[in-house]
Amino acid sequence: KEPASGVNQVIQVCFELIPRTPGERAVRYISDFKYSLNTPSISDDKLPNTVVEDVKGRKTQVYIIKRKLFKWRYPEYAFKET
């Protein structure tokens, strides 16, 4: 599956959600796609123009928690599920 029309597409980008602590591994989320939208008509600087997209068949409890952490940790990205 290809993401919506965009530029600067990168696949499987790793985002750190919780840093490593002594005796524990870092918690990471790996997106399916990350891309910048080509949206010159949007003039509101508060709208994110970089999208992180995840293609999901089944939403596990772990995925739901990581999605929530991602949205909290990285508000500068628009998150899209397909």
Side-chain angles (χ1 to χ4, degrees), residues 1-4 29 31-33 35 51-68 70-71 78-82:
K1 168 135 173 66
E2 290 294 318
Y29 164 74
S31 70
D32 291 323
F33 300 102
Y35 53 92
V51 177
V52 172
E53 185 170 340
D54 200 281
V55 180
K56 276 289 169 226
R58 183 171 171 265
K59 295 178 184 175
T60 65
Q61 290 298 317
V62 170
Y63 167 75
I64 292 169
I65 291 168
K66 285 186 175 187
R67 179 188 65 199
K68 289 177 182 182
F70 178 87
K71 288 179 176 183
F79 189 83
K80 180 179 178 183
E81 292 176 306
T82 55

Side-chain angles (χ1 to χ4, degrees), residues 7-76:
V7 294
N8 299 328
Q9 175 184 333
V10 181
I11 59 171
Q12 296 193 332
V13 177
C14 184
F15 294 91
E16 185 176 77
L17 301 176
I18 302 172
R20 184 175 67 100
T21 58
E24 298 290 336
R25 294 187 209 174
V27 176
R28 295 183 176 90
Y29 164 74
I30 300 173
S31 70
D32 291 323
F33 300 102
K34 177 184 158 197
Y35 53 92
S36 296
L37 293 176
N38 191 3
T39 55
S41 62
I42 296 178
S43 61
D44 186 356
D45 291 336
K46 294 179 182 177
L47 292 175
N49 69 343
T50 302
V51 177
V52 172
E53 185 170 340
D54 200 281
V55 180
K56 276 289 169 226
R58 183 171 171 265
K59 295 178 184 175
T60 65
Q61 290 298 317
V62 170
Y63 167 75
I64 292 169
I65 291 168
K66 285 186 175 187
R67 179 188 65 199
K68 289 177 182 182
L69 285 168
F70 178 87
K71 288 179 176 183
W72 172 75
R73 177 83 164 79
Y74 297 99
E76 66 271 21

